[in-house]
Amino acid sequence: MTLEQLRIFVAVAEREHVTRAAAALNLTQSATSAAIAALEQRHAVKLFDRVGRRIMLTDAGALFLVEARAILARATAGEQVLSDLAGLKRGRLALAASQTIGNYWLPRRLAAFRARHPGIETPLVIGNTETVAAAIHDGLADIGFVEGEVDDPHLASQVVAMDEMTIVVAPEHPWARRDHIDASAFDQTSWILREPGSGTRQLLDTVLADAGGSLAALDIALELPANEAVRAAVEAGAGASLMSRLVVANALHSGALVEVAVDIPARRFIMLRHKERYLSRAAQAFSALLAEDASGSGSPGPPKQRLP
């Protein structure tokens, strides 16, 4: 079998549709069907069941999909090593980042990296802390950036920046006129929170625990999957929220939001990679750029250490 046949098989399996897979691979439908048929005939194994106009993996096909993905992942890793030999003139650095980092902190760094290495592709996937850690663990991204703590012995972590956090409310909220709010009073208002697995929610849980409280004691009015949605809900007066100053800076400046005087610790922006996977030259170059950026800007945080 060939790598091209494996790529076609995986594309069809993931979409359960020959035509869509062919379009994604820029192939004709007949060439796609022929590749699947060649695999089935050569090995005398049925990989798909045809059910009406749909196709579905057989048990054999599901087992083979695991191996096919693993082979393609190894081939991609081999291509990356060869790309390194070109001296960063071309290549690919797959990134994953949690929302605050991906939307507000990382773009400027990506632009600087692009200016230095225009031949390196830097696709970015944005999720929450849990999904980013899973992407690094599963090899779907080379480097990840998160705000929350990650408990995975397979991942190496490095602090790259610090993020200032703040409690915000709408101007009409009673807390907007208070000189100071203690964390023990957080159960006296409604809250708009990010979804479970987000670094912001994790930090609020820690702050509450330190004050002898818990998320379970809060009146959670809304639970939303994006920073922008949370910010809009707070501006509309739905309650209070803990957010990064990067996210709410413009709203605070315009008066759409008011910062509540609460003692909230800064959180760390953490870079993740898999300990057992090859760290490409592109990844090393990006890590070096971040170290330069941190030392040049004078941003707070501990001394930066190289990834092990």
Side-chain angles (χ1 to χ4, degrees):
M1 66 186 71
T2 66
L3 288 176
E4 183 67 9
Q5 287 175 326
L6 293 181
R7 289 191 181 97
I8 292 171
F9 166 73
V10 170
V12 173
E14 291 177 343
R15 292 165 179 80
E16 295 186 340
H17 201 285
V18 173
T19 302
R20 292 172 189 162
L25 296 170
N26 198 27
L27 296 173
T28 64
Q29 183 175 342
S30 59
T32 303
S33 297
I36 299 299
L39 280 174
E40 292 181 324
Q41 292 170 10
R42 179 178 179 83
H43 301 282
V45 174
K46 192 172 183 62
L47 300 173
F48 294 98
D49 283 324
R50 279 71 178 176
V51 182
R53 300 180 65 181
R54 290 186 58 203
I55 61 172
M56 300 177 64
L57 281 170
T58 62
D59 289 343
L63 290 172
F64 182 56
L65 179 59
V66 175
E67 299 301 327
R69 282 173 168 161
I71 293 170
L72 292 176
R74 291 299 301 165
T76 299
E79 289 175 347
Q80 183 64 63
V81 173
L82 292 177
S83 295
D84 284 348
L85 298 178
L88 293 176
K89 293 182 179 179
R90 65 183 182 90
R92 186 175 186 272
L93 176 62
L95 303 170
S98 48
Q99 288 194 26
T100 302
I101 295 176
N103 289 320
Y104 295 93
W105 183 82
L106 198 55
R108 183 168 69 83
R109 281 80 183 173
L110 286 175
F113 184 76
R114 176 73 176 178
R116 290 188 186 184
H117 308 291
I120 305 296
E121 299 176 9
T122 53
L124 172 65
V125 174
I126 296 177
N128 62 27
T129 294
E130 285 187 355
T131 58
V132 171
I136 302 302
H137 183 99
D138 296 339
L140 302 178
D142 302 305
I143 293 178
F145 297 88
V146 298
E147 305 108 4
E149 296 296 326
V150 174
D151 183 16
D152 187 333
H154 299 287
L155 303 186
S157 62
Q158 172 186 343
V159 178
V160 292
M162 300 298 286
D163 184 31
E164 187 177 351
M165 304 297 293
T166 182
I167 301 288
V168 291
V169 296
E172 300 80 16
H173 193 282
W175 285 3
R177 298 179 293 277
R178 296 274 293 273
D179 292 334
H180 182 79
I181 296 292
D182 190 79
S184 62
F186 282 6
D187 59 357
Q188 298 175 9
T189 191
S190 298
W191 286 83
I192 298 92
L193 301 184
R194 285 281 308 281
E195 77 288 357
S198 73
T200 304
R201 187 183 181 117
Q202 188 181 97
L203 177 60
L204 180 59
D205 192 22
T206 300
V207 170
L208 285 166
D210 291 343
S214 68
L215 287 176
L218 297 185
D219 173 21
I220 301 176
L222 293 170
E223 191 174 275
L224 300 170
N227 286 325
E228 290 71 21
V230 172
R231 185 181 62 209
V234 176
E235 290 177 3
S241 189
L242 172 65
M243 305 195 76
S244 167
R245 189 174 292 279
L246 291 172
V247 177
V248 298
N250 290 336
L252 290 173
H253 181 73
S254 69
L257 290 177
V258 176
E259 182 177 5
V260 179
V262 185
D263 296 326
I264 301 292
R267 65 178 177 181
R268 303 179 298 170
F269 284 169
I270 299 171
M271 182 164 63
L272 301 175
R273 78 166 183 89
H274 201 290
K275 293 179 180 178
E276 298 175 3
R277 291 195 172 94
Y278 171 73
L279 188 65
S280 69
R281 286 188 61 194
Q284 294 175 38
F286 193 74
S287 178
L289 181 145
L290 295 181
E292 292 174 18
D293 177 79
S295 61
S297 65
S299 60
K304 307 302 181 291
Q305 302 294 327
R306 282 191 172 275
L307 286 170

